[in-house]
Amino acid sequence: MVHPQRVTQRHIADVLGLSVNTVSRALAGKGQVSDATRDAIRTEAERLGYHPNSHARSLVSGTTMVVGLVITNPSNPFYAALISAVEQRCRTAGYSVLLLVTEESEQNEQEAVQQLLRFGVDAVLGVPIQNRPDAWESLAKAGLPVVLLSRDIPALGFDFVGIDAEQGIHDAVLGAVGEGGVRRAWLFEEDLEISTTAERIAGFERALSDLGAAPADSLVIKVPTRRTGGASLPWRPDDAYRMAAGLITPGNHPGLVVTGNDYFALGVYKALRECGLRVPDDIMVLGYGDHPFAAYLEPALSTVRLPAHAMGTRAVDFLLARLADPDAPRRAALLPPDPVHRASTRGAA
């Protein structure tokens, strides 16, 4: 089989009887090239199927026009929306996106950062694992602009865009229970030692305090994080189901169950059905994330909608500003989530 040869500027120059330098200047929109010649060169480039060599261009410009994006769990609908927003905003600014996934593995995170350094990306957006900042320190030492997403590492001084998870859960709990209040409440939360988990727990406990509940009336249940070989697998409803089924009985249950993600709420729903408890008459359920299935459960799940698109767009804007002015003061933003009250709670619709 004869493989077609990559079309270069030399091919265009030879066809038109021009110098490579003239072709290069015309395609780059630079230099003294007549409109007629420029049009002829672009027409021939399109006919031949010419595409610029980005590697060669980066050697000349010193930039790759590529942004690295490091996330933990692509199966999470929130991250899927975030990736889309980042890609859209980067594309409008002329950048491509190189996506790398860590699955909450420190080894994967180290390898992802080293790959970004080898590739020579211009900047990095990332969700850090937070256990150890070593990998991100490598990016700081290399002088790469970095914007952290969702989870911060304040000591490194990177720009940061997060979600006010504490206030979001606090407001959602108060809105969910309505004027009737709640006697006891349980929170089914991930057992990952990350800031977003801690923030949700803090918001949950503050809400119960504001409702006048005693500390003994709140319970935080840590659900295993599906770890296999140091990595984290996608959320599974049965993780929360098994724990709820072992704790909740008709004679021992709270008035409200809050879950750190909507997948856990799926498991809690099943446990409650098997126990003969009705939602929301016997027990209210509040999720987190507003995943696509939440509105279609029976009853529809009250939850917290997260501003994934706004976060991705704001993060890229921060990154572009940092590229334009490396010495500017640190930028940080906490975006407000949006409580969504549906039939699984008794709060305002």
Side-chain angles (χ1 to χ4, degrees), residues 184-307:
R184 287 196 299 163
W186 293 355
L187 171 63
F188 286 77
E189 187 54 86
E190 290 189 280
D191 67 351
L192 289 176
E193 298 299 323
I194 54 177
S195 59
T196 45
T197 297
E199 290 158 8
R200 286 193 294 267
I201 293 173
F204 168 76
E205 293 177 340
R206 181 159 63 89
L208 291 185
S209 176
D210 289 349
L211 289 167
D217 291 334
S218 65
L219 178 64
V220 177
I221 301 149
K222 291 296 187 74
V223 179
T225 53
R226 307 97 44 220
R227 290 193 175 278
T228 302
S232 174
L233 301 175
W235 286 319
R236 294 200 305 255
D238 54 312
D239 293 326
Y241 161 73
R242 284 192 295 268
M243 301 202 75
L247 290 170
I248 296 175
T249 66
N252 176 39
H253 65 82
L256 170 69
V257 164
V258 182
T259 63
N261 63 74
D262 290 346
Y263 286 94
F264 287 177
L266 284 175
V268 170
Y269 264 42
K270 180 181 179 183
L272 296 180
R273 284 197 304 271
E274 293 178 353
C275 200
L277 293 171
R278 296 167 300 168
V279 180
D281 298 333
D282 299 316
I283 181 169
M284 295 179 288
V285 180
L286 173 66
Y288 189 85
D290 197 24
H291 299 323
F293 58 80
Y296 298 93
L297 295 177
E298 184 58 44
L301 179 66
S302 294
T303 183
V304 180
R305 182 175 299 144
L306 305 180

